[in-house]
Amino acid sequence: MKHTAVTVIARLKPSADLPTLAQYLLAMGQTLSADGDGTIQAKLSEVSGLHFLRLLIIKDPDRGPERARLLLAAVIDGDENDESATDRFLAELGDALPDLDKIWGGCEGYVGRDGFVAFMSSNLIRPAAFYVAFKEENVESLRRYDALRRRWDELRFPQGRHSPEGPPPWSGRPFSVLRYWRRFCRWVARPVTLVPQLAATFADGRRMIRAYGFRPTWAGATTIVRGLNRYPGWRFFNLMTCNFERQARPRLSQVPVDRTNPPFDRNEQCGFLEAGSHLPGVEDRLEQNQLTLITPIANRQRLNQLGAVLGAVDSYARIWSRPGNLLGMSTIHFVRWMPIDDGRRLLMLSDYDHSWEAYIDEFIEMIRTGMDAIWSSAAKTGVPAYKTGPTELYQDNYLWHGSGDASTFKHFLRAHQANAHLFYSAQASRTVLHTKEDRQLFRNVSLTMSDHEFRTRVLENAANEEI
Amino acid sequence: MPSFEEADRGQMQGLITSAYGHMVHTGYLFLRLVGAPADAAAWLRGLLAAGHVMTSRTWRPDRNLPKTKPDYAVNVAFTHAGLKAWRVDGQTLKSFSPAFMEGPANSERAASLGDSGAERPDLWEFGGKEENAVHLVVVVHATTADERARVISILKSDLKMDGRDALQPVAGDQLGAHMIYSDPVRGSRVVKEHFGFNDGISQPELRGLKKDSGNRSAAGQNTCAAGEFVLGYPDEYGFYPPTPLTHRSRDRGGMLPESPYRAEHPEYVDFGYNGTYLVYRKMTQDVASFWGYLKEQCRQLFGKEDPQTVLWLAAKMVGRWPNGVPLVEAPDLVDMTRYCGHLNHFMFAESDPDGSACPFGSHVRRVNPRDQLKPGTPRQSLQMTRRHRLIRRGSTFGEPLFDLSILDNPQDVRALEKLLRLEDDGRERGLHFFCVNASIRRQFEFVQQSWSVSRTFNGLRDDPDPVVGDAGSRVCDLEDGFEIPGNPQSLRLKSLHRFTRTRASAYFFLPGLDTLRYLSTLNAG
């Protein structure tokens, strides 16, 4: 994996001044979004290989209702097994942030700037499942795409150039024998490329069966793929394993009243929503967005089951997911899940495009059974679940149609969402679809090419696009 | 629960199911409750007793008889502030959707809907501030202007506008009309908006209301579950939409219907059953600026001001020709008057995958993306689109700036040249936009925010909706534009700015008849 998810949760001392810390982080975040007065400068764009970063204060319910923790979540370039990449990032982060003492000074174990890297490393949490939209792309290559795109736009839309012929005539996509030949070659080569993927999947499966047992692993994987009949491969698998989903009937929502906005009942809320902030409005004004969810895990059995599900998700994300496409979802840059607090809670961190509403709708449409499998871990704590028979609420301990009740499911997510005080993105206006298109158009194209060569190559790439 | 076709359509306000096509004159009374709620309730009782409120009941007295169309229709809807002033109990008030409770003037909502800068709520004519907040709207449709005047005068006299009025108008009479033209190709009657394009072509239908058309892929995409537009019926997710509930003890007369949730929550009755949410936006259209911008872009791109090319650019921005013919089906100007197919039976994914006929950023491709949302399959895209549809109601106001019929005959270049000489006459014209949806957040706000205002919708770049988006209003260096994909040459219209401006907005709840009756007795002593 060429990306590393850095997640650090540091406990704040009881004496920590939370409102001041929150204000400080918010002010720093506003400076990043060119919205603030620029008083607290964080030079995060100078941190090499940093894609996304967020900082937020979350609750620490195990140690008391007033206790809190500071969560740092970032995605950086570099091998996740290479500890030096994380250390280098943390060292650069320490230099980029204006005053570490003001941020982590109230944390237990923090000894000052000199011991910052060791302090953060000691609180690192590894993700149980990690999806990366474009495994081959790093911050530099994405910036290169920006430059290529600028040049391509200059060539496409020249300033002050008149076209005396009038509007260009409409014509369909030109037929290209080459395109079909390449598609045929890929189709023929497919079985060969499948071998290492299948081998890796079997290795993952063996590891998961050893860790969680056969039944949870099998049940977790089959629950996820139950709703994926739109893919011929999975449809065949479901048919062979009699893995069918029962038809959802019109049902009553478990929360009859629309409550997708804060404020929520404090008891059902694990995150730390900033007083007075209006979450939907703040987050939805950006092209890129972030979601931090902390949901409860009902018991140890559910934790074991969740481990198997996340193992399956992780295996799929690493081995099978195609660039910019997680089972049909094209809005996620990075998403990761990890159990925290000794397995009592599940933390989900996502960096995605567009509005929260669009994001959750896409989740429900594309991988509803996956959502059901993951949040079965929070069974009986507010996540919706539906009986399909007289007594059946769960099958193999997994929810039925839970996230299909969009209104209740959104309520559940909102109630457990924590608002980031600071959110940084290296390229805030770049969406997953942009990167997908750029990868296609600018394959084997360089900035040093002549205009003619550049245009010819890009048009060739565009014509070879598979739609 | 009964299915939609079995339901009593008499309990639903007619605005949900009918655009009242034959009633071309409209009037909107935006009122504010200033007196005693009991007086206002008495007014509502009178309105109901006189049978003024139009329901969804069929106008056909018998299946074999022709429709007996009424001369006027009246509908009533309330804002959240209005229900509060009407003294609806606090528990019921809290059970409405958050979007409705906060309203469009909420600064966060306004910002994400593109109502910032000169469109910000405190500059609106009404609905944007506490002192000009709207409490209810009475929507009047009538066949003639005289009939409309008669109905409005009756309503006003009932309001006792003689000093002890309980309800006062917030912003004068807002009158409108459907601008009717005849389609020279089809010979049918069409409605235009001020830029000159036929309007209201693609309207979703409630499943079960009419017989679905045969072609599922094209015609069927327009049919949505009733719960997308009416509370109390399953929606496209297969669940009943969230609905406002009232404690049974508050409904002493037993007027409110039973809630679908009666098994789990027997203590509540349904305040929302057969009701829905109604979104209002008063939008002015800067017609001279729209055509002037296109003229300037035409000169910059092609070195000349050609009226047919200007028309071509305008059609690219809208996604249809002025006579409603979709660009996907008829991409060339000569096809515009030759196309005889259905105006709404088309898809994007297969017909126009590269956007060279209908640009990706065009208005129709954004507000109803049909089967082209990436990266899902066409079927998934249709399903997702169906969860974000709106039934549009409303009408235009102001006189047209020019003879809009010249746009329907582009071969008459001499007449079309008027487009190049348009100058603003200083008069206000635009659209009273109303839309019906069961979830304001998931439907209207989503479409406006994620599909219209978003610069990156479906892979676009710096490309907001060129017709109803907030182009040019960003506080950054990036310039908004509009890309016209072409093969081999693409074009980009630069320095795009907005041509429609928000002058007022409000979110209403359009109650079912049972709830209206309940409201009319609420403060009766």
mmCIF file of all heavy atoms in Angstrom, chain A residues 156 163 170 230 250-252 256 278 284-285 287 330 354-355 361 365 434 438, chain B residues 108 237-238 240 242-243 260 356 375 380 387-388 441 449-450 456 460-461 483 489:
data_model
loop_
_atom_site.group_PDB
_atom_site.id
_atom_site.type_symbol
_atom_site.label_atom_id
_atom_site.label_comp_id
_atom_site.label_asym_id
_atom_site.label_seq_id
_atom_site.Cartn_x
_atom_site.Cartn_y
_atom_site.Cartn_z
ATOM 1 N N ARG A 156 -7.337 23.641 -25.410
ATOM 2 C CA ARG A 156 -8.718 23.417 -25.854
ATOM 3 C C ARG A 156 -9.479 24.713 -26.056
ATOM 4 O O ARG A 156 -10.304 24.852 -26.935
ATOM 5 C CB ARG A 156 -9.462 22.576 -24.807
ATOM 6 C CG ARG A 156 -9.135 21.116 -24.848
ATOM 7 C CD ARG A 156 -10.211 20.317 -24.182
ATOM 8 N NE ARG A 156 -10.444 20.746 -22.808
ATOM 9 C CZ ARG A 156 -11.532 20.455 -22.123
ATOM 10 N NH1 ARG A 156 -12.487 19.771 -22.692
ATOM 11 N NH2 ARG A 156 -11.668 20.853 -20.866
ATOM 12 N N SER A 163 -13.282 31.103 -34.552
ATOM 13 C CA SER A 163 -13.537 29.973 -35.429
ATOM 14 C C SER A 163 -14.550 30.427 -36.474
ATOM 15 O O SER A 163 -15.739 30.505 -36.187
ATOM 16 C CB SER A 163 -14.083 28.814 -34.604
ATOM 17 O OG SER A 163 -14.628 27.868 -35.454
ATOM 18 N N TRP A 170 -22.134 18.663 -34.953
ATOM 19 C CA TRP A 170 -22.203 17.554 -34.027
ATOM 20 C C TRP A 170 -21.826 16.283 -34.757
ATOM 21 O O TRP A 170 -22.205 16.032 -35.885
ATOM 22 C CB TRP A 170 -23.613 17.408 -33.473
ATOM 23 C CG TRP A 170 -23.712 16.268 -32.528
ATOM 24 C CD1 TRP A 170 -23.385 16.272 -31.218
ATOM 25 C CD2 TRP A 170 -24.144 14.942 -32.827
ATOM 26 N NE1 TRP A 170 -23.573 15.046 -30.668
ATOM 27 C CE2 TRP A 170 -24.038 14.200 -31.627
ATOM 28 C CE3 TRP A 170 -24.592 14.286 -33.963
ATOM 29 C CZ2 TRP A 170 -24.382 12.859 -31.556
ATOM 30 C CZ3 TRP A 170 -24.923 12.955 -33.881
ATOM 31 C CH2 TRP A 170 -24.822 12.256 -32.687
ATOM 32 N N ARG A 230 -25.844 -6.753 -8.905
ATOM 33 C CA ARG A 230 -25.691 -6.025 -10.165
ATOM 34 C C ARG A 230 -24.392 -6.395 -10.890
ATOM 35 O O ARG A 230 -24.229 -6.116 -12.058
ATOM 36 C CB ARG A 230 -25.740 -4.517 -9.918
ATOM 37 C CG ARG A 230 -24.638 -3.989 -9.037
ATOM 38 C CD ARG A 230 -24.785 -2.482 -8.829
ATOM 39 N NE ARG A 230 -23.740 -1.961 -7.963
ATOM 40 C CZ ARG A 230 -23.805 -1.916 -6.649
ATOM 41 N NH1 ARG A 230 -24.876 -2.381 -6.035
ATOM 42 N NH2 ARG A 230 -22.824 -1.402 -5.938
ATOM 43 N N PRO A 250 -42.696 -2.055 1.844
ATOM 44 C CA PRO A 250 -42.879 -0.732 2.450
ATOM 45 C C PRO A 250 -42.970 -0.874 3.960
ATOM 46 O O PRO A 250 -43.721 -1.686 4.483
ATOM 47 C CB PRO A 250 -44.200 -0.256 1.861
ATOM 48 C CG PRO A 250 -44.326 -0.993 0.599
ATOM 49 C CD PRO A 250 -43.672 -2.317 0.824
ATOM 50 N N ARG A 251 -42.182 -0.112 4.649
ATOM 51 C CA ARG A 251 -42.067 -0.275 6.078
ATOM 52 C C ARG A 251 -42.186 1.055 6.791
ATOM 53 O O ARG A 251 -42.009 2.105 6.203
ATOM 54 C CB ARG A 251 -40.712 -0.887 6.431
ATOM 55 C CG ARG A 251 -40.631 -2.302 6.066
ATOM 56 C CD ARG A 251 -39.238 -2.815 6.234
ATOM 57 N NE ARG A 251 -39.171 -4.131 5.623
ATOM 58 C CZ ARG A 251 -39.699 -5.213 6.159
ATOM 59 N NH1 ARG A 251 -40.298 -5.154 7.319
ATOM 60 N NH2 ARG A 251 -39.614 -6.356 5.547
ATOM 61 N N LEU A 252 -42.433 0.934 8.059
ATOM 62 C CA LEU A 252 -42.462 2.123 8.902
ATOM 63 C C LEU A 252 -41.046 2.412 9.352
ATOM 64 O O LEU A 252 -40.315 1.521 9.761
ATOM 65 C CB LEU A 252 -43.350 1.870 10.122
ATOM 66 C CG LEU A 252 -44.794 1.510 9.804
ATOM 67 C CD1 LEU A 252 -45.545 1.193 11.074
ATOM 68 C CD2 LEU A 252 -45.463 2.643 9.068
ATOM 69 N N PRO A 256 -40.023 8.004 13.388
ATOM 70 C CA PRO A 256 -41.031 8.577 12.506
ATOM 71 C C PRO A 256 -40.793 10.042 12.187
ATOM 72 O O PRO A 256 -41.225 10.544 11.170
ATOM 73 C CB PRO A 256 -42.329 8.394 13.293
ATOM 74 C CG PRO A 256 -41.934 8.175 14.692
ATOM 75 C CD PRO A 256 -40.576 7.571 14.669
ATOM 76 N N HIS A 278 -23.477 24.600 13.139
ATOM 77 C CA HIS A 278 -24.541 23.965 12.390
ATOM 78 C C HIS A 278 -23.876 23.031 11.400
ATOM 79 O O HIS A 278 -23.453 23.428 10.327
ATOM 80 C CB HIS A 278 -25.366 25.034 11.679
ATOM 81 C CG HIS A 278 -26.593 24.492 11.072
ATOM 82 N ND1 HIS A 278 -26.569 23.797 9.888
ATOM 83 C CD2 HIS A 278 -27.876 24.516 11.473
ATOM 84 C CE1 HIS A 278 -27.800 23.432 9.594
ATOM 85 N NE2 HIS A 278 -28.606 23.861 10.526
ATOM 86 N N ASP A 284 -21.202 21.142 4.162
ATOM 87 C CA ASP A 284 -21.657 20.953 2.797
ATOM 88 C C ASP A 284 -21.297 22.090 1.858
ATOM 89 O O ASP A 284 -21.669 22.080 0.698
ATOM 90 C CB ASP A 284 -23.178 20.745 2.779
ATOM 91 C CG ASP A 284 -23.529 19.352 3.266
ATOM 92 O OD1 ASP A 284 -22.597 18.571 3.469
ATOM 93 O OD2 ASP A 284 -24.717 19.073 3.446
ATOM 94 N N ARG A 285 -20.576 23.088 2.344
ATOM 95 C CA ARG A 285 -20.215 24.168 1.442
ATOM 96 C C ARG A 285 -18.909 23.879 0.703
ATOM 97 O O ARG A 285 -18.489 24.606 -0.153
ATOM 98 C CB ARG A 285 -20.101 25.487 2.215
ATOM 99 C CG ARG A 285 -21.153 26.470 1.777
ATOM 100 C CD ARG A 285 -21.001 27.761 2.503
ATOM 101 N NE ARG A 285 -21.334 27.659 3.907
ATOM 102 C CZ ARG A 285 -21.034 28.593 4.786
ATOM 103 N NH1 ARG A 285 -20.387 29.662 4.418
ATOM 104 N NH2 ARG A 285 -21.373 28.465 6.048
ATOM 105 N N GLU A 287 -16.302 21.434 -1.633
ATOM 106 C CA GLU A 287 -16.393 20.406 -2.667
ATOM 107 C C GLU A 287 -15.972 19.061 -2.082
ATOM 108 O O GLU A 287 -16.482 18.022 -2.432
ATOM 109 C CB GLU A 287 -15.502 20.758 -3.859
ATOM 110 C CG GLU A 287 -15.947 21.983 -4.641
ATOM 111 C CD GLU A 287 -17.336 21.863 -5.242
ATOM 112 O OE1 GLU A 287 -17.900 20.772 -5.252
ATOM 113 O OE2 GLU A 287 -17.852 22.902 -5.691
ATOM 114 N N SER A 330 -18.211 6.489 -6.190
ATOM 115 C CA SER A 330 -17.151 7.282 -6.812
ATOM 116 C C SER A 330 -16.945 8.600 -6.097
ATOM 117 O O SER A 330 -16.534 9.575 -6.700
ATOM 118 C CB SER A 330 -17.525 7.576 -8.248
ATOM 119 O OG SER A 330 -18.673 8.388 -8.243
ATOM 120 N N HIS A 354 -18.507 16.240 -2.251
ATOM 121 C CA HIS A 354 -19.873 16.774 -2.262
ATOM 122 C C HIS A 354 -20.567 16.653 -0.912
ATOM 123 O O HIS A 354 -19.909 16.480 0.108
ATOM 124 C CB HIS A 354 -20.699 16.142 -3.382
ATOM 125 C CG HIS A 354 -20.096 16.402 -4.734
ATOM 126 N ND1 HIS A 354 -19.943 15.433 -5.681
ATOM 127 C CD2 HIS A 354 -19.571 17.515 -5.271
ATOM 128 C CE1 HIS A 354 -19.364 15.927 -6.746
ATOM 129 N NE2 HIS A 354 -19.112 17.196 -6.529
ATOM 130 N N SER A 355 -21.891 16.681 -0.964
ATOM 131 C CA SER A 355 -22.631 16.843 0.290
ATOM 132 C C SER A 355 -22.795 15.518 1.037
ATOM 133 O O SER A 355 -22.753 14.442 0.441
ATOM 134 C CB SER A 355 -24.012 17.431 0.005
ATOM 135 O OG SER A 355 -24.809 16.500 -0.675
ATOM 136 N N ASP A 361 -26.591 8.745 0.582
ATOM 137 C CA ASP A 361 -27.510 8.155 -0.399
ATOM 138 C C ASP A 361 -26.777 7.168 -1.294
ATOM 139 O O ASP A 361 -27.304 6.103 -1.623
ATOM 140 C CB ASP A 361 -28.135 9.250 -1.272
ATOM 141 C CG ASP A 361 -29.366 9.843 -0.637
ATOM 142 O OD1 ASP A 361 -29.795 9.311 0.403
ATOM 143 O OD2 ASP A 361 -29.896 10.833 -1.154
ATOM 144 N N GLU A 365 -27.489 3.209 -1.714
ATOM 145 C CA GLU A 365 -27.833 2.655 -3.023
ATOM 146 C C GLU A 365 -26.848 1.563 -3.437
ATOM 147 O O GLU A 365 -27.238 0.514 -3.939
ATOM 148 C CB GLU A 365 -27.833 3.792 -4.057
ATOM 149 C CG GLU A 365 -28.159 3.357 -5.475
ATOM 150 C CD GLU A 365 -29.575 2.832 -5.607
ATOM 151 O OE1 GLU A 365 -30.461 3.329 -4.901
ATOM 152 O OE2 GLU A 365 -29.773 1.884 -6.407
ATOM 153 N N HIS A 434 -12.675 13.673 -11.079
ATOM 154 C CA HIS A 434 -11.637 14.452 -11.773
ATOM 155 C C HIS A 434 -10.372 13.618 -11.927
ATOM 156 O O HIS A 434 -9.778 13.551 -13.006
ATOM 157 C CB HIS A 434 -11.296 15.711 -10.966
ATOM 158 C CG HIS A 434 -12.378 16.736 -10.977
ATOM 159 N ND1 HIS A 434 -12.476 17.730 -10.029
ATOM 160 C CD2 HIS A 434 -13.431 16.907 -11.806
ATOM 161 C CE1 HIS A 434 -13.524 18.480 -10.296
ATOM 162 N NE2 HIS A 434 -14.123 18.000 -11.358
ATOM 163 N N ASP A 438 -8.523 12.467 -15.287
ATOM 164 C CA ASP A 438 -7.153 12.922 -15.559
ATOM 165 C C ASP A 438 -6.217 11.740 -15.788
ATOM 166 O O ASP A 438 -5.327 11.786 -16.634
ATOM 167 C CB ASP A 438 -6.639 13.777 -14.395
ATOM 168 C CG ASP A 438 -7.319 15.143 -14.360
ATOM 169 O OD1 ASP A 438 -8.040 15.447 -15.327
ATOM 170 O OD2 ASP A 438 -7.140 15.882 -13.379
ATOM 171 N N GLU B 108 -26.833 29.396 7.074
ATOM 172 C CA GLU B 108 -26.095 28.244 6.560
ATOM 173 C C GLU B 108 -26.809 27.644 5.345
ATOM 174 O O GLU B 108 -26.188 27.292 4.355
ATOM 175 C CB GLU B 108 -25.962 27.164 7.639
ATOM 176 C CG GLU B 108 -25.282 27.611 8.917
ATOM 177 C CD GLU B 108 -23.802 27.851 8.731
ATOM 178 O OE1 GLU B 108 -23.314 27.635 7.621
ATOM 179 O OE2 GLU B 108 -23.156 28.282 9.698
ATOM 180 N N TYR B 237 -37.513 4.712 -1.169
ATOM 181 C CA TYR B 237 -36.727 3.788 -0.350
ATOM 182 C C TYR B 237 -37.579 2.624 0.136
ATOM 183 O O TYR B 237 -37.075 1.695 0.759
ATOM 184 C CB TYR B 237 -36.156 4.517 0.881
ATOM 185 C CG TYR B 237 -35.046 5.489 0.578
ATOM 186 C CD1 TYR B 237 -35.273 6.851 0.575
ATOM 187 C CD2 TYR B 237 -33.759 5.043 0.324
ATOM 188 C CE1 TYR B 237 -34.254 7.751 0.314
ATOM 189 C CE2 TYR B 237 -32.733 5.931 0.059
ATOM 190 C CZ TYR B 237 -32.984 7.292 0.056
ATOM 191 O OH TYR B 237 -31.968 8.165 -0.210
ATOM 192 N N GLY B 238 -38.906 2.730 -0.062
ATOM 193 C CA GLY B 238 -39.806 1.696 0.433
ATOM 194 C C GLY B 238 -40.255 1.943 1.861
ATOM 195 O O GLY B 238 -40.839 1.061 2.484
ATOM 196 N N TYR B 240 -42.080 4.784 4.801
ATOM 197 C CA TYR B 240 -42.941 5.950 4.926
ATOM 198 C C TYR B 240 -42.083 7.154 5.305
ATOM 199 O O TYR B 240 -41.249 7.044 6.213
ATOM 200 C CB TYR B 240 -44.007 5.723 5.998
ATOM 201 C CG TYR B 240 -45.040 4.712 5.570
ATOM 202 C CD1 TYR B 240 -44.855 3.353 5.788
ATOM 203 C CD2 TYR B 240 -46.175 5.127 4.891
ATOM 204 C CE1 TYR B 240 -45.776 2.424 5.351
ATOM 205 C CE2 TYR B 240 -47.111 4.196 4.456
ATOM 206 C CZ TYR B 240 -46.903 2.857 4.690
ATOM 207 O OH TYR B 240 -47.813 1.938 4.252
ATOM 208 N N PRO B 242 -40.717 10.610 6.996
ATOM 209 C CA PRO B 242 -40.968 11.193 8.311
ATOM 210 C C PRO B 242 -42.116 12.191 8.227
ATOM 211 O O PRO B 242 -42.236 12.914 7.241
ATOM 212 C CB PRO B 242 -39.653 11.923 8.625
ATOM 213 C CG PRO B 242 -38.645 11.300 7.750
ATOM 214 C CD PRO B 242 -39.358 10.849 6.527
ATOM 215 N N THR B 243 -42.923 12.179 9.259
ATOM 216 C CA THR B 243 -44.135 13.007 9.213
ATOM 217 C C THR B 243 -44.331 13.709 10.550
ATOM 218 O O THR B 243 -43.943 13.171 11.594
ATOM 219 C CB THR B 243 -45.341 12.093 8.879
ATOM 220 O OG1 THR B 243 -46.518 12.873 8.856
ATOM 221 C CG2 THR B 243 -45.527 10.980 9.899
ATOM 222 N N PRO B 260 -49.421 6.204 10.577
ATOM 223 C CA PRO B 260 -48.938 4.865 10.211
ATOM 224 C C PRO B 260 -48.162 4.221 11.365
ATOM 225 O O PRO B 260 -47.956 3.018 11.382
ATOM 226 C CB PRO B 260 -48.025 5.117 9.012
ATOM 227 C CG PRO B 260 -48.111 6.544 8.663
ATOM 228 C CD PRO B 260 -48.898 7.254 9.709
ATOM 229 N N SER B 356 -21.593 15.686 -26.341
ATOM 230 C CA SER B 356 -21.410 16.545 -27.510
ATOM 231 C C SER B 356 -22.743 17.029 -28.071
ATOM 232 O O SER B 356 -22.782 17.991 -28.826
ATOM 233 C CB SER B 356 -20.615 15.818 -28.586
ATOM 234 O OG SER B 356 -21.227 14.588 -28.877
ATOM 235 N N PRO B 375 -20.534 6.673 -11.000
ATOM 236 C CA PRO B 375 -20.180 5.709 -12.021
ATOM 237 C C PRO B 375 -21.191 4.569 -12.099
ATOM 238 O O PRO B 375 -20.876 3.525 -12.653
ATOM 239 C CB PRO B 375 -18.845 5.174 -11.503
ATOM 240 C CG PRO B 375 -19.056 5.121 -10.023
ATOM 241 C CD PRO B 375 -20.001 6.223 -9.687
ATOM 242 N N GLN B 380 -29.158 2.177 -11.874
ATOM 243 C CA GLN B 380 -28.909 2.755 -10.547
ATOM 244 C C GLN B 380 -29.046 4.270 -10.576
ATOM 245 O O GLN B 380 -29.573 4.886 -9.660
ATOM 246 C CB GLN B 380 -27.495 2.408 -10.089
ATOM 247 C CG GLN B 380 -27.373 1.006 -9.594
ATOM 248 C CD GLN B 380 -25.924 0.608 -9.475
ATOM 249 O OE1 GLN B 380 -25.035 1.195 -10.068
ATOM 250 N NE2 GLN B 380 -25.670 -0.397 -8.703
ATOM 251 N N ARG B 387 -35.015 9.632 -6.410
ATOM 252 C CA ARG B 387 -35.090 10.030 -4.997
ATOM 253 C C ARG B 387 -34.839 11.525 -4.807
ATOM 254 O O ARG B 387 -34.775 12.001 -3.682
ATOM 255 C CB ARG B 387 -34.073 9.232 -4.189
ATOM 256 C CG ARG B 387 -34.485 7.786 -4.072
ATOM 257 C CD ARG B 387 -33.422 6.948 -3.470
ATOM 258 N NE ARG B 387 -33.860 5.566 -3.423
ATOM 259 C CZ ARG B 387 -33.060 4.534 -3.293
ATOM 260 N NH1 ARG B 387 -31.771 4.715 -3.178
ATOM 261 N NH2 ARG B 387 -33.529 3.311 -3.265
ATOM 262 N N HIS B 388 -34.650 12.213 -5.901
ATOM 263 C CA HIS B 388 -34.371 13.654 -5.793
ATOM 264 C C HIS B 388 -35.178 14.424 -6.832
ATOM 265 O O HIS B 388 -34.671 15.324 -7.472
ATOM 266 C CB HIS B 388 -32.872 13.920 -5.981
ATOM 267 C CG HIS B 388 -32.000 13.140 -5.059
ATOM 268 N ND1 HIS B 388 -31.881 13.451 -3.722
ATOM 269 C CD2 HIS B 388 -31.237 12.049 -5.248
ATOM 270 C CE1 HIS B 388 -31.064 12.582 -3.150
ATOM 271 N NE2 HIS B 388 -30.660 11.723 -4.056
ATOM 272 N N ARG B 441 -35.003 18.685 2.421
ATOM 273 C CA ARG B 441 -33.549 18.484 2.433
ATOM 274 C C ARG B 441 -33.104 17.523 1.319
ATOM 275 O O ARG B 441 -32.159 17.795 0.605
ATOM 276 C CB ARG B 441 -33.136 17.924 3.808
ATOM 277 C CG ARG B 441 -31.687 17.563 3.932
ATOM 278 C CD ARG B 441 -30.809 18.770 4.233
ATOM 279 N NE ARG B 441 -29.429 18.489 3.926
ATOM 280 C CZ ARG B 441 -28.755 19.024 2.918
ATOM 281 N NH1 ARG B 441 -29.336 19.884 2.115
ATOM 282 N NH2 ARG B 441 -27.507 18.724 2.710
ATOM 283 N N GLN B 449 -28.400 22.378 -4.242
ATOM 284 C CA GLN B 449 -27.033 22.439 -3.727
ATOM 285 C C GLN B 449 -26.082 21.512 -4.484
ATOM 286 O O GLN B 449 -25.028 21.940 -4.951
ATOM 287 C CB GLN B 449 -27.041 22.068 -2.247
ATOM 288 C CG GLN B 449 -25.665 22.054 -1.627
ATOM 289 C CD GLN B 449 -25.658 21.355 -0.297
ATOM 290 O OE1 GLN B 449 -26.686 20.953 0.216
ATOM 291 N NE2 GLN B 449 -24.486 21.205 0.263
ATOM 292 N N SER B 450 -26.455 20.228 -4.583
ATOM 293 C CA SER B 450 -25.512 19.244 -5.102
ATOM 294 C C SER B 450 -25.527 19.141 -6.620
ATOM 295 O O SER B 450 -24.557 18.690 -7.211
ATOM 296 C CB SER B 450 -25.824 17.859 -4.523
ATOM 297 O OG SER B 450 -25.698 17.890 -3.141
ATOM 298 N N THR B 456 -18.711 21.038 -9.342
ATOM 299 C CA THR B 456 -18.044 19.789 -9.709
ATOM 300 C C THR B 456 -19.037 18.642 -9.866
ATOM 301 O O THR B 456 -18.666 17.477 -9.795
ATOM 302 C CB THR B 456 -16.997 19.403 -8.648
ATOM 303 O OG1 THR B 456 -17.637 19.377 -7.379
ATOM 304 C CG2 THR B 456 -15.853 20.380 -8.618
ATOM 305 N N LEU B 460 -17.705 17.665 -13.393
ATOM 306 C CA LEU B 460 -17.472 18.961 -14.035
ATOM 307 C C LEU B 460 -16.427 19.760 -13.266
ATOM 308 O O LEU B 460 -16.098 19.436 -12.125
ATOM 309 C CB LEU B 460 -18.776 19.758 -14.095
ATOM 310 C CG LEU B 460 -19.889 19.176 -14.972
ATOM 311 C CD1 LEU B 460 -21.182 19.908 -14.702
ATOM 312 C CD2 LEU B 460 -19.516 19.295 -16.437
ATOM 313 N N ARG B 461 -15.947 20.842 -13.887
ATOM 314 C CA ARG B 461 -14.970 21.717 -13.218
ATOM 315 C C ARG B 461 -15.392 23.165 -13.392
ATOM 316 O O ARG B 461 -15.589 23.616 -14.516
ATOM 317 C CB ARG B 461 -13.595 21.546 -13.852
ATOM 318 C CG ARG B 461 -12.984 20.179 -13.614
ATOM 319 C CD ARG B 461 -11.860 19.962 -14.590
ATOM 320 N NE ARG B 461 -11.599 18.551 -14.745
ATOM 321 C CZ ARG B 461 -10.606 17.895 -14.135
ATOM 322 N NH1 ARG B 461 -9.795 18.522 -13.344
ATOM 323 N NH2 ARG B 461 -10.445 16.602 -14.331
ATOM 324 N N GLU B 483 -18.860 24.644 -20.141
ATOM 325 C CA GLU B 483 -18.148 23.903 -21.183
ATOM 326 C C GLU B 483 -19.127 23.234 -22.135
ATOM 327 O O GLU B 483 -20.103 22.619 -21.705
ATOM 328 C CB GLU B 483 -17.238 22.857 -20.549
ATOM 329 C CG GLU B 483 -16.342 22.196 -21.572
ATOM 330 C CD GLU B 483 -15.337 21.235 -20.948
ATOM 331 O OE1 GLU B 483 -14.919 21.476 -19.801
ATOM 332 O OE2 GLU B 483 -14.983 20.252 -21.619
ATOM 333 N N GLN B 489 -13.707 19.850 -31.546
ATOM 334 C CA GLN B 489 -13.396 21.079 -30.806
ATOM 335 C C GLN B 489 -14.418 21.336 -29.701
ATOM 336 O O GLN B 489 -15.611 21.409 -29.966
ATOM 337 C CB GLN B 489 -13.403 22.261 -31.790
ATOM 338 C CG GLN B 489 -13.185 23.613 -31.160
ATOM 339 C CD GLN B 489 -11.767 23.818 -30.674
ATOM 340 O OE1 GLN B 489 -10.809 23.619 -31.412
ATOM 341 N NE2 GLN B 489 -11.606 24.186 -29.408
#
